[in-house]
Amino acid sequence: MKNELHNLKAIPYQDITDLQDLLDHFDSWQEPLAILDHFFQFRTGPINKKKVIKEYYA
């Protein structure tokens, strides 16, 4: 039983905070990605960059 307790590895606090920061970063991308998905949802065929830029800023 004591051997099993010694084999457990501790997770450093810095790794936990880094993971939280990464998750927050991913979460911050949800809204922009949803907007881009909606913008390009009905597009078919090749994409005309100039037309897309005009429509996006309009």
Side-chain angles (χ1 to χ4, degrees):
M1 184 75 172
K2 286 186 179 182
N3 265 347
E4 291 177 12
L5 293 177
H6 290 291
N7 290 336
L8 295 177
K9 294 189 177 189
I11 300 173
Y13 182 73
Q14 183 63 41
D15 287 349
I16 294 171
T17 57
D18 289 345
L19 180 61
Q20 182 64 41
D21 290 342
L22 182 65
L23 292 174
D24 289 343
H25 185 75
F26 286 153
D27 192 41
S28 70
W29 276 93
Q30 292 301 316
E31 185 178 346
L33 289 176
I35 291 170
L36 287 174
D37 184 45
H38 178 71
F39 185 75
F40 289 107
Q41 186 174 12
F42 301 107
R43 303 242 180 237
T44 58
I47 296 175
N48 182 348
K49 287 183 184 180
K50 290 182 181 180
K51 185 177 177 184
V52 169
I53 291 170
K54 285 180 184 177
E55 289 177 9
Y56 179 77
Y57 286 108

